[in-house]
Amino acid sequence: MKKLLKLLKWTGISLLILLLMLSVTVALRQNMKYEAPYPDIKASADTNIIARGKQLVLGPAHCVNCHGPNNADSLLAQGLDVPLHGGHEWKLPFGSIYARNITPDAETGIGNMQDKEIARILRYGVNAKGNAVLDFMPFHNMSDEDLTAVISYLRAQKPVVNKVPDHQFNVMGKVIKAFMVKPHGPTVEVPKSVVRDSSVQYGEYLTMSVANCNGCHTQRSMTGEYIGAPFAGGNPIPGEGGMPALTPPNISGDSASRIQAWDETHFIKRFRKGKIIEYSHMPWTAYGNMSDNDLKAIFKYLKSVRANEQAPQIAKR
């Protein structure tokens, strides 16, 4: 009996030491520093470039759906400008995450950030302090031309004073932040510019590097790694406010795809209808701002993908 008690005692002490070591390690790794290059991106005052940025921010890149107000969809539907003052809260299993204020306000927004610092966050996932950010903005492969346009539009907005709370991580979140949140860089050679037409190539660029369709329509692990066949359907997304979960469907070129029987016209008309399921997470209104050529290109690309015949690595691009 004494031997058992002694064994339990030392086992308890060992576990306590391990727990303390883990706690200290997690605490020390909360603000890890990483090196990443600064893209040679400078905001422009050219109205055409700013207009392109607006098209991206309010359209396929759908920045407005995270960084805008709760009524962003109704403002977009009326053709009105949407203030990107942030503040929206996502209550996730690992903590509360808040969309940042990305207007040019100097105190609460991006007014004091350099263009290259904003570009580094979007392309490499590293902020001005050298910390890795959560990979919620996977624009790593966006062309230099489009990245310049986006930042130019952000600079051209009206500054809005809105102090957004810092992210609040629970114990799970702090462990994830300590060991799993790392920089994400380009997975292909980033183009200087892309030809905007209705080709499969442009559709792939929009789908994979701007609209992030693969992020929801391909199954992923808890760490965000792509584990499913590309565009063969994603993970269920929990509903908010008691609404049921919705599962992004298969939108590949397979016979089981949601769009298998659709033609180009049907595809475009569906986007023009906007949100049918009110609590859908898909940014239908922003995507509906895309041009017919944009949607034709995306449709052609999706039809070209055979999810059951290709490795999941395609979804990383």
Side-chain angles (χ1 to χ4, degrees):
M1 186 66 177
K2 289 183 178 179
K3 289 183 177 180
L4 178 60
L5 291 175
K6 186 175 182 180
L7 176 63
L8 291 174
K9 173 185 175 182
W10 285 108
T11 300
I13 292 173
S14 298
L15 290 174
L16 180 59
I17 291 173
L18 287 174
L19 183 60
L20 287 172
M21 290 175 63
L22 177 62
S23 298
V24 170
T25 301
V26 168
L28 291 174
R29 292 180 61 90
Q30 287 305 290
N31 294 294
M32 293 289 292
K33 302 290 185 181
Y34 297 92
E35 293 293 331
Y38 289 100
D40 185 20
I41 299 293
K42 295 181 177 61
S44 171
D46 186 300
T47 55
N48 290 325
I49 295 175
I50 292 171
R52 171 61 177 167
K54 180 177 181 179
Q55 181 188 30
L56 289 165
V57 169
L58 304 186
H62 60 280
C63 314
V64 62
N65 286 94
C66 290
H67 295 278
N70 292 333
N71 66 336
D73 277 351
S74 63
L75 295 176
L76 282 176
Q78 298 174 63
L80 301 175
D81 287 339
V82 182
L84 303 176
H85 52 52
H88 184 80
E89 176 187 8
W90 285 271
K91 294 182 179 180
L92 302 176
F94 54 84
S96 292
I97 306 301
Y98 299 89
R100 314 320 298 172
N101 180 345
I102 55 173
T103 73
D105 179 63
E107 297 299 324
T108 64
I110 61 172
N112 282 331
M113 294 180 65
Q114 298 180 53
D115 296 334
K116 64 179 183 179
E117 291 174 336
I118 301 172
R120 186 168 76 158
I121 291 175
L122 294 174
R123 183 159 289 170
Y124 294 101
V126 176
N127 64 22
K129 296 179 180 179
N131 308 131
V133 302
L134 293 167
D135 193 34
F136 290 163
M137 301 179 296
F139 301 127
H140 317 300
N141 297 331
M142 182 179 281
S143 72
D144 287 349
E145 182 180 61
D146 282 349
L147 188 55
T148 298
V150 167
I151 295 175
S152 299
Y153 175 68
L154 297 182
R155 293 292 195 207
Q157 293 180 90
K158 178 181 178 181
V160 178
V161 178
N162 185 36
K163 175 65 175 176
V164 175
D166 293 333
H167 301 323
Q168 301 295 320
F169 294 98
N170 55 27
V171 174
M172 180 197 302
K174 289 179 180 178
V175 172
I176 291 173
K177 186 180 178 185
F179 299 107
M180 298 181 185
V181 178
K182 297 180 180 179
H184 291 77
T187 56
V188 298
E189 184 177 350
V190 177
K192 294 293 183 182
S193 62
V194 293
V195 177
R196 300 199 291 269
D197 55 20
S198 60
S199 67
V200 171
Q201 292 75 22
Y202 186 52
E204 179 179 13
Y205 171 75
L206 284 176
T207 302
M208 305 300 293
S209 303
V210 183
N212 190 34
C213 309
N214 58 312
C216 289
H217 288 276
T218 301
Q219 287 193 354
R220 305 170 77 169
S221 69
M222 286 187 64
T223 62
E225 179 185 4
Y226 290 97
I227 57 175
F231 302 103
N235 306 84
I237 302 176
E240 296 181 357
M243 293 293 103
L246 294 174
T247 301
N250 182 335
I251 56 169
S252 71
D254 291 341
S255 59
S257 171
R258 174 70 59 84
I259 65 172
Q260 189 273 333
W262 293 11
D263 60 17
E264 201 173 71
T265 301
H266 191 150
F267 188 78
I268 294 172
K269 283 184 177 179
R270 175 60 193 89
F271 278 85
R272 299 295 178 235
K273 285 181 180 178
K275 188 175 292 189
I276 295 176
I277 300 175
E278 186 58 35
Y279 55 92
S280 171
H281 300 84
M282 185 157 164
W284 283 106
T285 308
Y287 284 165
N289 278 339
M290 286 190 277
S291 69
D292 282 0
N293 270 354
D294 287 349
L295 292 171
K296 287 177 182 178
I298 289 174
F299 180 74
K300 288 177 182 176
Y301 172 66
L302 293 176
K303 281 289 192 176
S304 75
V305 176
R306 296 295 184 268
N308 294 325
E309 300 172 9
Q310 300 187 41
Q313 280 74 16
I314 188 175
K316 293 182 179 180
R317 292 190 59 191

